[in-house]
Amino acid sequence: MKKKIFYIIRYSVLQHSNAWKISRETDFETYKKNLFSDERLNLKRSLFQTLTLPCLAEQEKSAEDYETEIVLLVSKQLPSEQLEKINSLQQIVKFTVVEVDENESMYSKITTFISSSVSQSTEDLLYATVRIDDDDLLAKGYESKLLDYLTLGNNNYLISFPLGYESLINTKDGEIAGVEYSKFSNYPKVALGLAHIGFFNASLNKIESEKVHIYQTGKHTNVDERHTLIYDMTPDSYVEVAYALQDTRGEGFKNRTTDSASIDLENLRKKFPPLDGIF
């Protein structure tokens, strides 16, 4: 049976939605202006280039035969020069760009893409769809651990990796200005690395899972109320980054890590080599 992992990344997708804090605080035109400001987009691209793409390019490959695909959702309204700069980053690792119009449902777009992709398989296919933001890191062993859960018995289950780190970084004029501090995180149902297991039956040409992809499972903080969730307690599974220009402005980081002690940054760099680019 074939296996595949899809990493799904949302990159500054403009939507008529209140799902993001940046969209709730202003009218639509101001939200659009803020979302596509040079300062924000330059910082986003820098983090994407320095952290997220390298961590996916450097995943330790399992001896098991499988495929991976990075799916990057971008806004059709994204300035063309910014899209060109994003596409130039494919020299780090290949990814598939899916453009989303402001009047389209981003989640329906993901459903269409995943459904079309898996239906091209001439063999039965077990697949995982993974949440990762455009400024996050997954441990290099994430992929091989996730493959352990790609079984028929886990069809429509979710996999969470709660143990990792959160780092608060400083920025200046749209550029990374170093790490302020990092803390250990034990965050059950953390969005980063949360994966959904799906199954495509080739003989029936049908996805035989209740949900097609991870974003159809709803809000990650209470996803266990709707789906069977498996916790993998492997330590050092991720680094989640917080900063002022982020949608939440780092508020969640501060709330979750109030009682956590700062950790040694040099040790963290050894575990996550892409962090060298922001120290």
Side-chain angles (χ1 to χ4, degrees):
M1 187 180 301
K2 294 179 66 177
K3 295 184 177 182
K4 185 169 183 177
I5 297 173
F6 294 91
Y7 294 101
I8 302 176
I9 305 172
R10 301 170 298 176
Y11 192 99
S12 296
V13 180
L14 181 69
Q15 295 274 271
H16 286 276
S17 165
N18 289 327
W20 291 276
K21 189 167 185 176
I22 190 175
S23 65
R24 293 194 298 268
E25 294 181 340
T26 62
D27 62 86
F28 184 77
E29 287 305 316
T30 303
Y31 153 51
K32 180 178 179 179
K33 181 179 178 180
N34 292 338
L35 187 72
F36 294 152
S37 71
D38 287 341
E39 181 182 14
R40 183 182 180 278
L41 289 178
N42 289 339
L43 177 61
K44 278 286 184 182
R45 189 179 69 256
S46 180
L47 290 166
F48 184 55
Q49 176 180 355
T50 305
L51 302 180
T52 309
L53 287 180
C55 90
L56 296 178
E58 295 165 11
Q59 285 293 308
E60 294 175 341
K61 297 301 177 181
S62 168
E64 189 174 359
D65 186 32
Y66 67 100
E67 299 177 13
T68 62
E69 184 172 5
I70 301 168
V71 183
L72 188 69
L73 296 153
V74 302
S75 178
K76 276 189 178 179
Q77 286 71 36
L78 189 72
S80 58
E81 65 273 14
Q82 289 287 346
L83 183 58
E84 289 176 10
K85 290 176 180 178
I86 291 169
N87 274 316
S88 72
L89 301 180
Q90 299 214 37
Q91 59 186 321
I92 300 173
V93 63
K94 293 295 182 183
F95 50 84
T96 303
V97 173
V98 176
E99 295 187 12
V100 184
D101 187 77
E102 64 184 65
N103 295 308
E104 290 181 293
S105 163
M106 175 172 57
Y107 301 121
S108 294
K109 195 85 171 184
I110 300 172
T111 302
T112 300
F113 179 86
I114 297 296
S115 298
S116 175
S117 179
V118 301
S119 67
Q120 295 176 34
S121 178
T122 57
E123 301 175 38
D124 288 351
L125 174 70
L126 277 164
Y127 68 95
T129 50
V130 180
R131 287 185 64 155
I132 177 172
D133 282 345
D134 53 13
D135 48 15
D136 288 329
L137 291 102
L138 287 169
K140 61 183 179 181
Y142 172 86
E143 199 166 278
S144 58
K145 292 294 297 183
L146 181 59
L147 279 171
D148 292 340
Y149 299 102
L150 267 177
T151 67
L152 274 175
N154 289 335
N155 183 25
N156 212 51
Y157 286 9
L158 272 65
I159 318 299
S160 172
F161 296 80
L163 302 182
Y165 303 91
E166 298 196 55
S167 294
L168 184 64
I169 68 170
N170 295 317
T171 63
K172 183 178 180 181
D173 300 327
E175 296 186 1
I176 303 166
V179 177
E180 186 170 336
Y181 57 87
S182 296
K183 294 189 174 185
F184 171 75
S185 176
N186 182 351
Y187 186 4
K189 296 165 285 186
V190 60
L192 173 52
L194 188 65
H196 171 265
I197 308 300
F199 172 63
F200 173 73
N201 187 319
S203 61
L204 298 178
N205 192 31
K206 178 183 179 182
I207 294 175
E208 294 192 319
S209 306
E210 181 184 342
K211 303 297 182 183
V212 174
H213 56 81
I214 185 62
Y215 283 103
Q216 286 188 329
T217 62
K219 191 175 181 180
H220 68 94
T221 54
N222 60 2
V223 73
D224 57 328
E225 298 174 9
R226 298 178 297 278
H227 301 276
T228 300
L229 183 64
I230 298 174
Y231 288 112
D232 184 301
M233 303 307 288
T234 302
D236 310 328
S237 290
Y238 63 85
V239 177
E240 194 170 22
V241 171
Y243 50 93
L245 284 177
Q246 203 172 31
D247 183 49
T248 60
R249 300 187 181 92
E251 291 170 4
F253 170 86
K254 294 171 185 175
N255 293 336
R256 287 189 298 273
T257 61
T258 299
D259 299 324
S260 299
S262 294
I263 63 169
D264 179 65
L265 295 180
E266 284 302 316
N267 188 39
L268 190 62
R269 288 173 69 177
K270 291 176 183 177
K271 294 176 179 178
F272 295 89
L275 286 173
D276 281 337
I278 65 172
F279 277 75

